[in-house]
Amino acid sequence: MNLTNKVVIVSGGVQGIGEQFVLGLTNAGARVVIADIANGQPLADRINQASGQTAQQAIYVPCDIADNSSCQQMAKTAFETFGSIDGLIANAAVFSGLAMQSSLDIPLAEWHKVMAVNVTGVWQTIKAVVPYMDNGGSIINITSNRIFIGVPKMLHYDVSKGAVNAMTKSLAREFGDSNIRVNAIAPGLTMTDKVKQRHGIQERSQATVKTKALKREQQPDDLVGAALFLISDSSRQITGQTLVVDGGTVMR
């Protein structure tokens, strides 16, 4: 997949799935903005050193997607650095630190935090980036296959990802006249380093594998191909869709 000269922002791009998106995009020739509250400068430096180019292929911009002004500054910096914005992967979200618990026991403050990042944060990121997509573009929202299954014990997370799925369809209609495509990727359980640290994850992972057509654990780089396709011009007639990438647990 050739994405040479496309400029793509990846929120939450420092680690896990986000890091794999960044590496996949740069390997395909894209110029990438790593937007994260965690320090992405070492990752950007590693990419730029490996590229052997005089121009930067990757930059890190600190961004808290729950803060509207932070999103606005991030998009402005991306545009001023590269001169255009062609794509956005809205990947940043609260997940790994959430405990599985009854919906009756979720603290109200935790509910609000999840919504502030996973829903409002995605909207604020998109709102900041779209004005710079003068020549059209591609937005990918990261949701979850959980919203199609009905999995208990993480209601706030599932509600937030269901909202992102609805947001994807509404924005695809709204931005279509501007040649901006909006799609979503819904991963299954993906074994990032942080997910591997969750209590009881090995038992959950083994149970999940049994539900899949492709019976192996999903790794972060399993999601890269879908993202590259949706960013690329090869998917220029695809918008408003949610692509489930989970090894065949959900078949729609």
Side-chain angles (χ1 to χ4, degrees):
M1 195 70 66
N2 187 350
L3 300 178
T4 300
N5 295 326
K6 284 190 178 294
V7 177
V8 184
I9 296 168
V10 181
S11 70
V14 170
Q15 58 193 346
I17 294 171
E19 180 185 12
Q20 293 303 310
F21 287 148
V22 168
L23 295 175
L25 288 162
T26 54
N27 287 338
R31 293 172 291 175
V32 178
V33 177
I34 305 164
D36 207 313
I37 56 174
N39 182 14
Q41 194 59 52
L43 176 59
D45 290 343
R46 177 157 53 98
I47 291 167
N48 290 326
Q49 290 166 7
S51 73
Q53 302 176 17
T54 56
Q56 295 184 99
Q57 189 176 7
I59 64 169
Y60 163 62
V61 182
C63 182
D64 177 1
I65 66 169
D67 182 334
N68 185 59
S69 62
S70 181
C71 293
Q72 293 291 332
Q73 184 59 51
M74 178 274 295
K76 183 174 183 286
T77 301
F79 184 80
E80 290 177 346
T81 301
F82 291 124
S84 64
I85 299 176
D86 304 294
L88 165 66
I89 302 180
N91 168 72
V94 174
F95 171 68
S96 60
L98 298 177
M100 297 187 70
Q101 57 189 315
S102 165
S103 63
L104 304 181
D105 296 329
I106 297 172
L108 186 58
E110 184 173 296
W111 179 280
H112 286 318
K113 178 182 178 181
V114 171
M115 297 305 157
V117 176
N118 293 11
V119 182
T120 306
V122 171
W123 169 60
Q124 290 182 152
T125 307
I126 293 170
K127 185 173 65 167
V129 168
V130 164
Y132 294 103
M133 290 182 161
D134 295 330
N135 298 315
S138 175
I139 296 169
I140 303 172
N141 296 324
I142 305 303
T143 176
S144 171
N145 76 336
R146 292 173 58 96
I147 66 175
F148 301 114
I149 300 172
V151 185
K153 304 297 186 181
M154 290 186 74
L155 181 67
H156 43 358
Y157 178 78
D158 294 342
V159 168
S160 74
K161 290 303 185 178
V164 170
N165 198 56
M167 188 188 308
T168 297
K169 298 178 186 305
S170 294
L171 294 181
R173 292 284 186 191
E174 181 176 344
F175 297 150
D177 288 344
S178 299
N179 196 33
I180 296 172
R181 298 181 292 109
V182 188
N183 293 290
I185 293 175
L189 179 63
T190 304
M191 301 302 285
T192 65
D193 289 341
K194 282 195 171 182
V195 166
K196 289 176 184 177
Q197 296 170 11
R198 290 179 65 86
H199 176 71
I201 192 60
Q202 288 305 321
E203 293 79 5
R204 281 188 56 210
S205 178
Q206 291 169 14
T208 298
V209 167
K210 292 178 181 179
T211 71
K212 302 167 69 168
L214 304 176
K215 289 183 169 48
R216 67 169 178 83
E217 289 183 332
Q218 182 158 296
Q219 302 302 321
D221 61 355
D222 288 325
L223 297 157
V224 173
L228 297 186
F229 170 66
L230 290 174
I231 289 291
S232 78
D233 294 337
S234 296
S235 59
R236 60 186 176 271
Q237 194 61 20
I238 299 176
T239 194
Q241 305 303 310
T242 298
L243 178 58
V244 179
V245 182
D246 69 354
T249 296
V250 174
M251 297 187 181
R252 303 170 60 242

Short mmCIF file of all heavy atoms in Angstrom, two decimals, residues 184-251:
data_model
loop_
_atom_site.label_atom_id
_atom_site.label_comp_id
_atom_site.label_asym_id
_atom_site.label_seq_id
_atom_site.Cartn_x
_atom_site.Cartn_y
_atom_site.Cartn_z
N ALA A 184 -14.93 3.26 10.42
CA ALA A 184 -14.48 2.79 11.73
C ALA A 184 -13.89 1.40 11.60
O ALA A 184 -14.26 0.62 10.70
CB ALA A 184 -15.64 2.77 12.72
N ILE A 185 -12.97 1.11 12.48
CA ILE A 185 -12.45 -0.25 12.65
C ILE A 185 -12.85 -0.72 14.04
O ILE A 185 -12.66 0.01 15.04
CB ILE A 185 -10.92 -0.29 12.49
CG1 ILE A 185 -10.52 0.03 11.05
CG2 ILE A 185 -10.36 -1.65 12.90
CD1 ILE A 185 -9.03 0.14 10.84
N ALA A 186 -13.41 -1.92 14.12
CA ALA A 186 -13.84 -2.49 15.40
C ALA A 186 -12.96 -3.70 15.71
O ALA A 186 -13.23 -4.80 15.23
CB ALA A 186 -15.32 -2.89 15.33
N PRO A 187 -11.92 -3.51 16.51
CA PRO A 187 -11.06 -4.64 16.85
C PRO A 187 -11.72 -5.57 17.85
O PRO A 187 -12.56 -5.16 18.65
CB PRO A 187 -9.83 -3.97 17.48
CG PRO A 187 -9.96 -2.50 17.21
CD PRO A 187 -11.43 -2.25 17.06
N GLY A 188 -11.30 -6.83 17.81
CA GLY A 188 -11.58 -7.74 18.90
C GLY A 188 -10.52 -7.57 19.97
O GLY A 188 -9.70 -6.65 19.92
N LEU A 189 -10.51 -8.47 20.94
CA LEU A 189 -9.51 -8.43 22.00
C LEU A 189 -8.12 -8.50 21.38
O LEU A 189 -7.78 -9.46 20.69
CB LEU A 189 -9.72 -9.60 22.97
CG LEU A 189 -8.72 -9.69 24.13
CD1 LEU A 189 -8.84 -8.47 25.04
CD2 LEU A 189 -8.95 -10.98 24.91
N THR A 190 -7.32 -7.46 21.62
CA THR A 190 -6.01 -7.34 21.00
C THR A 190 -4.95 -7.31 22.08
O THR A 190 -5.02 -6.52 23.02
CB THR A 190 -5.94 -6.05 20.14
OG1 THR A 190 -7.01 -6.07 19.19
CG2 THR A 190 -4.61 -5.97 19.40
N MET A 191 -3.93 -8.16 21.93
CA MET A 191 -2.98 -8.39 23.01
C MET A 191 -1.85 -7.36 22.98
O MET A 191 -0.69 -7.67 22.68
CB MET A 191 -2.45 -9.82 22.93
CG MET A 191 -3.54 -10.88 23.02
SD MET A 191 -4.52 -10.76 24.54
CE MET A 191 -3.36 -11.42 25.72
N THR A 192 -2.19 -6.14 23.33
CA THR A 192 -1.17 -5.11 23.52
C THR A 192 -0.46 -5.36 24.85
O THR A 192 -0.92 -6.16 25.68
CB THR A 192 -1.80 -3.71 23.54
OG1 THR A 192 -2.66 -3.61 24.69
CG2 THR A 192 -2.62 -3.46 22.28
N ASP A 193 0.65 -4.67 25.07
CA ASP A 193 1.39 -4.86 26.32
C ASP A 193 0.52 -4.53 27.53
O ASP A 193 0.56 -5.24 28.55
CB ASP A 193 2.64 -3.99 26.33
CG ASP A 193 3.70 -4.49 25.35
OD1 ASP A 193 3.63 -5.67 24.95
OD2 ASP A 193 4.60 -3.69 24.99
N LYS A 194 -0.28 -3.46 27.43
CA LYS A 194 -1.12 -3.08 28.57
C LYS A 194 -2.26 -4.08 28.80
O LYS A 194 -2.62 -4.37 29.94
CB LYS A 194 -1.67 -1.68 28.36
CG LYS A 194 -0.66 -0.58 28.66
CD LYS A 194 -1.33 0.78 28.80
CE LYS A 194 -0.35 1.82 29.30
NZ LYS A 194 -0.99 3.15 29.49
N VAL A 195 -2.82 -4.60 27.72
CA VAL A 195 -3.89 -5.60 27.86
C VAL A 195 -3.34 -6.84 28.53
O VAL A 195 -4.00 -7.46 29.38
CB VAL A 195 -4.50 -5.92 26.49
CG1 VAL A 195 -5.36 -7.19 26.56
CG2 VAL A 195 -5.35 -4.75 26.00
N LYS A 196 -2.11 -7.23 28.19
CA LYS A 196 -1.51 -8.43 28.78
C LYS A 196 -1.34 -8.30 30.30
O LYS A 196 -1.21 -9.32 30.99
CB LYS A 196 -0.15 -8.69 28.14
CG LYS A 196 -0.23 -9.16 26.70
CD LYS A 196 1.18 -9.31 26.12
CE LYS A 196 1.12 -9.70 24.65
NZ LYS A 196 2.48 -9.78 24.05
N GLN A 197 -1.34 -7.08 30.81
CA GLN A 197 -1.18 -6.86 32.24
C GLN A 197 -2.50 -6.93 33.01
O GLN A 197 -2.50 -6.90 34.25
CB GLN A 197 -0.52 -5.49 32.48
CG GLN A 197 0.88 -5.37 31.92
CD GLN A 197 1.40 -3.94 31.96
OE1 GLN A 197 0.83 -3.06 32.58
NE2 GLN A 197 2.52 -3.71 31.28
N ARG A 198 -3.62 -7.02 32.30
CA ARG A 198 -4.91 -7.03 32.97
C ARG A 198 -5.11 -8.34 33.74
O ARG A 198 -4.71 -9.42 33.29
CB ARG A 198 -6.04 -6.84 31.96
CG ARG A 198 -6.10 -5.45 31.37
CD ARG A 198 -7.24 -5.32 30.36
NE ARG A 198 -8.54 -5.47 30.99
CZ ARG A 198 -9.22 -4.49 31.56
NH1 ARG A 198 -8.71 -3.27 31.59
NH2 ARG A 198 -10.40 -4.71 32.10
N HIS A 199 -5.76 -8.24 34.88
CA HIS A 199 -6.02 -9.41 35.71
C HIS A 199 -6.91 -10.40 34.96
O HIS A 199 -7.95 -10.04 34.40
CB HIS A 199 -6.70 -8.98 37.02
CG HIS A 199 -7.09 -10.14 37.88
ND1 HIS A 199 -6.17 -10.90 38.56
CD2 HIS A 199 -8.32 -10.67 38.17
CE1 HIS A 199 -6.80 -11.84 39.23
NE2 HIS A 199 -8.10 -11.72 39.01
N GLY A 200 -6.50 -11.65 34.94
CA GLY A 200 -7.29 -12.71 34.33
C GLY A 200 -7.32 -12.70 32.81
O GLY A 200 -8.15 -13.39 32.20
N ILE A 201 -6.39 -11.96 32.19
CA ILE A 201 -6.47 -11.80 30.73
C ILE A 201 -6.19 -13.10 29.98
O ILE A 201 -6.76 -13.33 28.91
CB ILE A 201 -5.52 -10.67 30.25
CG1 ILE A 201 -5.83 -10.31 28.80
CG2 ILE A 201 -4.07 -11.07 30.42
CD1 ILE A 201 -7.22 -9.80 28.56
N GLN A 202 -5.34 -13.97 30.51
CA GLN A 202 -5.03 -15.20 29.78
C GLN A 202 -6.26 -16.10 29.67
O GLN A 202 -6.52 -16.69 28.61
CB GLN A 202 -3.87 -15.94 30.46
CG GLN A 202 -2.52 -15.25 30.29
CD GLN A 202 -2.17 -15.02 28.83
OE1 GLN A 202 -2.42 -15.85 27.96
NE2 GLN A 202 -1.59 -13.84 28.54
N GLU A 203 -7.02 -16.18 30.76
CA GLU A 203 -8.24 -16.98 30.71
C GLU A 203 -9.25 -16.37 29.74
O GLU A 203 -9.89 -17.09 28.95
CB GLU A 203 -8.87 -17.07 32.11
CG GLU A 203 -8.04 -17.87 33.12
CD GLU A 203 -6.87 -17.07 33.69
OE1 GLU A 203 -6.74 -15.86 33.38
OE2 GLU A 203 -6.09 -17.68 34.46
N ARG A 204 -9.39 -15.03 29.78
CA ARG A 204 -10.31 -14.36 28.86
C ARG A 204 -9.86 -14.53 27.42
O ARG A 204 -10.67 -14.74 26.51
CB ARG A 204 -10.39 -12.87 29.19
CG ARG A 204 -11.28 -12.53 30.36
CD ARG A 204 -11.44 -11.03 30.48
NE ARG A 204 -11.95 -10.45 29.25
CZ ARG A 204 -11.68 -9.22 28.84
NH1 ARG A 204 -10.86 -8.44 29.53
NH2 ARG A 204 -12.20 -8.76 27.72
N SER A 205 -8.55 -14.44 27.20
CA SER A 205 -8.03 -14.57 25.85
C SER A 205 -8.30 -15.96 25.29
O SER A 205 -8.71 -16.12 24.14
CB SER A 205 -6.53 -14.28 25.82
OG SER A 205 -6.00 -14.46 24.53
N GLN A 206 -8.07 -16.97 26.11
CA GLN A 206 -8.32 -18.35 25.65
C GLN A 206 -9.79 -18.57 25.33
O GLN A 206 -10.14 -19.23 24.34
CB GLN A 206 -7.84 -19.33 26.72
CG GLN A 206 -6.33 -19.36 26.89
CD GLN A 206 -5.89 -20.13 28.12
OE1 GLN A 206 -6.67 -20.87 28.73
NE2 GLN A 206 -4.64 -19.95 28.51
N ALA A 207 -10.67 -18.00 26.15
CA ALA A 207 -12.11 -18.11 25.88
C ALA A 207 -12.48 -17.38 24.60
O ALA A 207 -13.32 -17.85 23.82
CB ALA A 207 -12.90 -17.55 27.07
N THR A 208 -11.86 -16.23 24.37
CA THR A 208 -12.14 -15.46 23.15
C THR A 208 -11.70 -16.21 21.91
O THR A 208 -12.41 -16.23 20.90
CB THR A 208 -11.43 -14.09 23.22
OG1 THR A 208 -11.95 -13.36 24.33
CG2 THR A 208 -11.66 -13.30 21.95
N VAL A 209 -10.53 -16.81 21.96
CA VAL A 209 -10.00 -17.54 20.81
C VAL A 209 -10.98 -18.64 20.38
O VAL A 209 -11.17 -18.90 19.19
CB VAL A 209 -8.61 -18.12 21.12
CG1 VAL A 209 -8.19 -19.14 20.06
CG2 VAL A 209 -7.58 -17.01 21.21
N LYS A 210 -11.64 -19.27 21.33
CA LYS A 210 -12.58 -20.34 21.02
C LYS A 210 -13.79 -19.84 20.24
O LYS A 210 -14.45 -20.62 19.55
CB LYS A 210 -13.05 -21.02 22.31
CG LYS A 210 -11.96 -21.82 23.01
CD LYS A 210 -12.46 -22.43 24.31
CE LYS A 210 -11.36 -23.19 25.01
NZ LYS A 210 -11.84 -23.78 26.31
N THR A 211 -14.11 -18.54 20.34
CA THR A 211 -15.26 -17.99 19.62
C THR A 211 -14.92 -17.58 18.19
O THR A 211 -15.81 -17.21 17.43
CB THR A 211 -15.82 -16.75 20.35
OG1 THR A 211 -14.89 -15.65 20.23
CG2 THR A 211 -16.06 -17.04 21.82
N LYS A 212 -13.64 -17.63 17.83
CA LYS A 212 -13.18 -17.08 16.56
C LYS A 212 -13.11 -18.15 15.48
O LYS A 212 -12.88 -19.33 15.75
CB LYS A 212 -11.79 -16.44 16.74
CG LYS A 212 -11.76 -15.33 17.77
CD LYS A 212 -10.36 -14.92 18.15
CE LYS A 212 -9.64 -14.21 17.03
NZ LYS A 212 -8.41 -13.56 17.49
N ALA A 213 -13.27 -17.71 14.23
CA ALA A 213 -13.03 -18.61 13.11
C ALA A 213 -11.53 -18.85 12.94
O ALA A 213 -11.11 -19.96 12.60
CB ALA A 213 -13.63 -18.02 11.83
N LEU A 214 -10.73 -17.80 13.15
CA LEU A 214 -9.27 -17.90 13.08
C LEU A 214 -8.75 -18.00 14.50
O LEU A 214 -8.70 -17.01 15.23
CB LEU A 214 -8.69 -16.67 12.38
CG LEU A 214 -9.23 -16.39 10.98
CD1 LEU A 214 -8.67 -15.09 10.43
CD2 LEU A 214 -8.91 -17.56 10.04
N LYS A 215 -8.40 -19.19 14.92
CA LYS A 215 -8.19 -19.47 16.33
C LYS A 215 -6.77 -19.17 16.79
O LYS A 215 -5.97 -20.08 17.05
CB LYS A 215 -8.62 -20.89 16.65
CG LYS A 215 -10.14 -21.04 16.57
CD LYS A 215 -10.62 -22.41 16.94
CE LYS A 215 -12.13 -22.42 17.10
NZ LYS A 215 -12.87 -21.80 16.00
N ARG A 216 -6.49 -17.88 16.90
CA ARG A 216 -5.25 -17.41 17.51
C ARG A 216 -5.51 -16.05 18.14
O ARG A 216 -6.48 -15.36 17.80
CB ARG A 216 -4.12 -17.32 16.50
CG ARG A 216 -4.30 -16.26 15.43
CD ARG A 216 -3.01 -16.08 14.63
NE ARG A 216 -3.13 -15.12 13.56
CZ ARG A 216 -3.00 -13.80 13.71
NH1 ARG A 216 -2.79 -13.28 14.92
NH2 ARG A 216 -3.09 -12.99 12.67
N GLU A 217 -4.65 -15.67 19.06
CA GLU A 217 -4.77 -14.35 19.68
C GLU A 217 -4.51 -13.26 18.64
O GLU A 217 -3.66 -13.40 17.77
CB GLU A 217 -3.77 -14.21 20.83
CG GLU A 217 -4.10 -15.04 22.04
CD GLU A 217 -3.13 -14.80 23.17
OE1 GLU A 217 -1.95 -14.44 22.90
OE2 GLU A 217 -3.53 -14.97 24.34
N GLN A 218 -5.23 -12.16 18.78
CA GLN A 218 -5.03 -11.02 17.88
C GLN A 218 -3.92 -10.13 18.42
O GLN A 218 -3.92 -9.76 19.59
CB GLN A 218 -6.33 -10.23 17.75
CG GLN A 218 -6.24 -9.05 16.79
CD GLN A 218 -7.60 -8.64 16.29
OE1 GLN A 218 -8.28 -9.39 15.61
NE2 GLN A 218 -8.01 -7.44 16.62
N GLN A 219 -2.99 -9.78 17.52
CA GLN A 219 -1.87 -8.91 17.87
C GLN A 219 -2.11 -7.51 17.31
O GLN A 219 -2.86 -7.33 16.35
CB GLN A 219 -0.56 -9.49 17.32
CG GLN A 219 -0.26 -10.91 17.81
CD GLN A 219 -0.20 -11.01 19.32
OE1 GLN A 219 0.32 -10.11 19.99
NE2 GLN A 219 -0.73 -12.10 19.87
N PRO A 220 -1.45 -6.48 17.87
CA PRO A 220 -1.68 -5.11 17.41
C PRO A 220 -1.45 -4.91 15.92
O PRO A 220 -2.21 -4.18 15.26
CB PRO A 220 -0.69 -4.29 18.24
CG PRO A 220 -0.54 -5.07 19.51
CD PRO A 220 -0.61 -6.51 19.10
N ASP A 221 -0.45 -5.58 15.35
CA ASP A 221 -0.19 -5.36 13.92
C ASP A 221 -1.21 -6.03 13.01
O ASP A 221 -1.21 -5.81 11.80
CB ASP A 221 1.24 -5.77 13.55
CG ASP A 221 1.52 -7.24 13.79
OD1 ASP A 221 0.65 -7.95 14.33
OD2 ASP A 221 2.64 -7.69 13.45
N ASP A 222 -2.11 -6.84 13.57
CA ASP A 222 -3.18 -7.43 12.77
C ASP A 222 -4.17 -6.38 12.28
O ASP A 222 -4.95 -6.64 11.35
CB ASP A 222 -3.95 -8.48 13.58
CG ASP A 222 -3.15 -9.76 13.80
OD1 ASP A 222 -2.37 -10.14 12.89
OD2 ASP A 222 -3.27 -10.36 14.88
N LEU A 223 -4.15 -5.19 12.87
CA LEU A 223 -5.10 -4.14 12.51
C LEU A 223 -4.55 -3.17 11.47
O LEU A 223 -5.29 -2.36 10.93
CB LEU A 223 -5.50 -3.35 13.77
CG LEU A 223 -6.24 -4.19 14.81
CD1 LEU A 223 -6.10 -3.57 16.17
CD2 LEU A 223 -7.70 -4.35 14.44
N VAL A 224 -3.27 -3.27 11.20
CA VAL A 224 -2.61 -2.26 10.36
C VAL A 224 -3.12 -2.29 8.93
O VAL A 224 -3.39 -1.24 8.32
CB VAL A 224 -1.09 -2.44 10.41
CG1 VAL A 224 -0.40 -1.51 9.41
CG2 VAL A 224 -0.57 -2.16 11.82
N GLY A 225 -3.25 -3.46 8.34
CA GLY A 225 -3.67 -3.56 6.94
C GLY A 225 -5.02 -2.90 6.68
O GLY A 225 -5.20 -2.20 5.68
N ALA A 226 -5.95 -3.10 7.61
CA ALA A 226 -7.28 -2.48 7.45
C ALA A 226 -7.18 -0.97 7.48
O ALA A 226 -7.84 -0.26 6.71
CB ALA A 226 -8.21 -2.97 8.56
N ALA A 227 -6.33 -0.45 8.37
CA ALA A 227 -6.17 1.00 8.49
C ALA A 227 -5.52 1.59 7.24
O ALA A 227 -5.97 2.62 6.72
CB ALA A 227 -5.35 1.35 9.72
N LEU A 228 -4.49 0.94 6.73
CA LEU A 228 -3.82 1.44 5.53
C LEU A 228 -4.79 1.46 4.35
O LEU A 228 -4.80 2.40 3.55
CB LEU A 228 -2.61 0.57 5.19
CG LEU A 228 -1.47 0.54 6.22
CD1 LEU A 228 -0.30 -0.26 5.67
CD2 LEU A 228 -1.03 1.93 6.63
N PHE A 229 -5.60 0.42 4.23
CA PHE A 229 -6.58 0.37 3.15
C PHE A 229 -7.59 1.51 3.24
O PHE A 229 -7.87 2.19 2.25
CB PHE A 229 -7.31 -0.98 3.20
CG PHE A 229 -8.51 -1.05 2.27
CD1 PHE A 229 -8.35 -1.01 0.90
CD2 PHE A 229 -9.80 -1.16 2.79
CE1 PHE A 229 -9.44 -1.07 0.04
CE2 PHE A 229 -10.89 -1.23 1.95
CZ PHE A 229 -10.72 -1.18 0.58
N LEU A 230 -8.11 1.77 4.44
CA LEU A 230 -9.12 2.82 4.60
C LEU A 230 -8.54 4.22 4.47
O LEU A 230 -9.26 5.14 4.08
CB LEU A 230 -9.84 2.65 5.94
CG LEU A 230 -10.76 1.43 6.05
CD1 LEU A 230 -11.29 1.28 7.46
CD2 LEU A 230 -11.90 1.51 5.04
N ILE A 231 -7.26 4.39 4.76
CA ILE A 231 -6.61 5.69 4.54
C ILE A 231 -6.33 5.90 3.06
O ILE A 231 -6.39 7.03 2.55
CB ILE A 231 -5.30 5.79 5.35
CG1 ILE A 231 -5.60 5.93 6.86
CG2 ILE A 231 -4.44 6.96 4.86
CD1 ILE A 231 -6.23 7.26 7.26
N SER A 232 -6.06 4.83 2.36
CA SER A 232 -5.59 4.93 0.97
C SER A 232 -6.72 5.27 0.00
O SER A 232 -7.91 5.13 0.31
CB SER A 232 -4.95 3.62 0.54
OG SER A 232 -5.95 2.65 0.23
N ASP A 233 -6.33 5.67 -1.20
CA ASP A 233 -7.29 5.96 -2.26
C ASP A 233 -7.96 4.70 -2.79
O ASP A 233 -8.95 4.79 -3.53
CB ASP A 233 -6.60 6.71 -3.41
CG ASP A 233 -6.12 8.09 -2.98
OD1 ASP A 233 -6.67 8.63 -2.00
OD2 ASP A 233 -5.18 8.61 -3.61
N SER A 234 -7.45 3.53 -2.43
CA SER A 234 -8.09 2.28 -2.85
C SER A 234 -9.48 2.12 -2.25
O SER A 234 -10.30 1.35 -2.77
CB SER A 234 -7.22 1.08 -2.46
OG SER A 234 -5.99 1.10 -3.14
N SER A 235 -9.75 2.83 -1.15
CA SER A 235 -11.06 2.76 -0.51
C SER A 235 -11.87 4.04 -0.75
O SER A 235 -12.74 4.39 0.05
CB SER A 235 -10.89 2.54 1.00
OG SER A 235 -10.15 3.59 1.59
N ARG A 236 -11.61 4.70 -1.87
CA ARG A 236 -12.19 6.03 -2.11
C ARG A 236 -13.72 6.04 -2.23
O ARG A 236 -14.33 7.09 -2.15
CB ARG A 236 -11.58 6.67 -3.36
CG ARG A 236 -11.79 5.88 -4.65
CD ARG A 236 -11.01 6.50 -5.82
NE ARG A 236 -11.11 5.71 -7.04
CZ ARG A 236 -10.29 4.73 -7.37
NH1 ARG A 236 -9.30 4.40 -6.53
NH2 ARG A 236 -10.43 4.05 -8.48
N GLN A 237 -14.35 4.85 -2.39
CA GLN A 237 -15.80 4.79 -2.49
C GLN A 237 -16.41 4.14 -1.24
O GLN A 237 -17.57 3.75 -1.24
CB GLN A 237 -16.21 4.02 -3.76
CG GLN A 237 -17.67 4.14 -4.18
CD GLN A 237 -18.10 5.58 -4.51
OE1 GLN A 237 -17.27 6.43 -4.80
NE2 GLN A 237 -19.39 5.83 -4.47
N ILE A 238 -15.64 4.09 -0.18
CA ILE A 238 -16.11 3.46 1.06
C ILE A 238 -16.19 4.52 2.15
O ILE A 238 -15.20 5.16 2.49
CB ILE A 238 -15.15 2.34 1.51
CG1 ILE A 238 -15.09 1.24 0.44
CG2 ILE A 238 -15.60 1.76 2.85
CD1 ILE A 238 -14.09 0.14 0.75
N THR A 239 -17.39 4.70 2.70
CA THR A 239 -17.57 5.62 3.82
C THR A 239 -18.78 5.19 4.65
O THR A 239 -19.68 4.50 4.15
CB THR A 239 -17.73 7.08 3.33
OG1 THR A 239 -17.58 7.97 4.45
CG2 THR A 239 -19.07 7.31 2.66
N GLY A 240 -18.75 5.55 5.91
CA GLY A 240 -19.85 5.19 6.81
C GLY A 240 -19.87 3.74 7.22
O GLY A 240 -20.88 3.25 7.74
N GLN A 241 -18.76 3.04 7.04
CA GLN A 241 -18.71 1.61 7.32
C GLN A 241 -17.89 1.30 8.56
O GLN A 241 -16.97 2.04 8.91
CB GLN A 241 -18.10 0.85 6.12
CG GLN A 241 -18.80 1.12 4.81
CD GLN A 241 -20.28 0.79 4.85
OE1 GLN A 241 -20.67 -0.31 5.28
NE2 GLN A 241 -21.11 1.71 4.40
N THR A 242 -18.24 0.20 9.22
CA THR A 242 -17.45 -0.29 10.34
C THR A 242 -16.90 -1.65 9.98
O THR A 242 -17.65 -2.60 9.73
CB THR A 242 -18.31 -0.40 11.61
OG1 THR A 242 -18.80 0.89 11.97
CG2 THR A 242 -17.49 -0.95 12.77
N LEU A 243 -15.57 -1.74 9.90
CA LEU A 243 -14.90 -2.98 9.53
C LEU A 243 -14.47 -3.70 10.81
O LEU A 243 -13.66 -3.19 11.58
CB LEU A 243 -13.68 -2.67 8.66
CG LEU A 243 -12.81 -3.84 8.22
CD1 LEU A 243 -13.65 -4.87 7.45
CD2 LEU A 243 -11.65 -3.35 7.37
N VAL A 244 -15.07 -4.86 11.05
CA VAL A 244 -14.74 -5.64 12.24
C VAL A 244 -13.48 -6.46 11.95
O VAL A 244 -13.43 -7.22 10.98
CB VAL A 244 -15.89 -6.57 12.64
CG1 VAL A 244 -15.52 -7.39 13.87
CG2 VAL A 244 -17.17 -5.77 12.91
N VAL A 245 -12.48 -6.29 12.80
CA VAL A 245 -11.23 -7.05 12.66
C VAL A 245 -11.03 -7.82 13.96
O VAL A 245 -10.50 -7.30 14.94
CB VAL A 245 -10.03 -6.11 12.39
CG1 VAL A 245 -8.75 -6.93 12.20
CG2 VAL A 245 -10.29 -5.24 11.18
N ASP A 246 -11.51 -9.07 13.97
CA ASP A 246 -11.46 -9.85 15.22
C ASP A 246 -11.28 -11.34 14.97
O ASP A 246 -11.51 -12.14 15.87
CB ASP A 246 -12.72 -9.58 16.05
CG ASP A 246 -13.99 -10.17 15.43
OD1 ASP A 246 -13.93 -10.69 14.29
OD2 ASP A 246 -15.05 -10.12 16.08
N GLY A 247 -10.85 -11.70 13.78
CA GLY A 247 -10.62 -13.12 13.52
C GLY A 247 -11.88 -13.93 13.32
O GLY A 247 -11.84 -15.17 13.30
N GLY A 248 -13.01 -13.27 13.17
CA GLY A 248 -14.24 -13.98 12.85
C GLY A 248 -15.10 -14.32 14.04
O GLY A 248 -15.87 -15.29 13.99
N THR A 249 -15.03 -13.55 15.11
CA THR A 249 -16.01 -13.69 16.19
C THR A 249 -17.34 -13.10 15.75
O THR A 249 -18.40 -13.73 15.85
CB THR A 249 -15.53 -13.00 17.48
OG1 THR A 249 -14.36 -13.66 17.96
CG2 THR A 249 -16.60 -13.04 18.56
N VAL A 250 -17.28 -11.87 15.27
CA VAL A 250 -18.48 -11.18 14.76
C VAL A 250 -18.48 -11.29 13.25
O VAL A 250 -17.49 -10.97 12.59
CB VAL A 250 -18.48 -9.69 15.17
CG1 VAL A 250 -19.64 -8.96 14.52
CG2 VAL A 250 -18.53 -9.58 16.69
N MET A 251 -19.58 -11.76 12.68
CA MET A 251 -19.72 -11.82 11.23
C MET A 251 -21.02 -11.12 10.86
O MET A 251 -22.09 -11.55 11.29
CB MET A 251 -19.73 -13.26 10.73
CG MET A 251 -18.43 -14.00 11.01
SD MET A 251 -18.39 -15.64 10.24
CE MET A 251 -16.80 -16.21 10.78
#
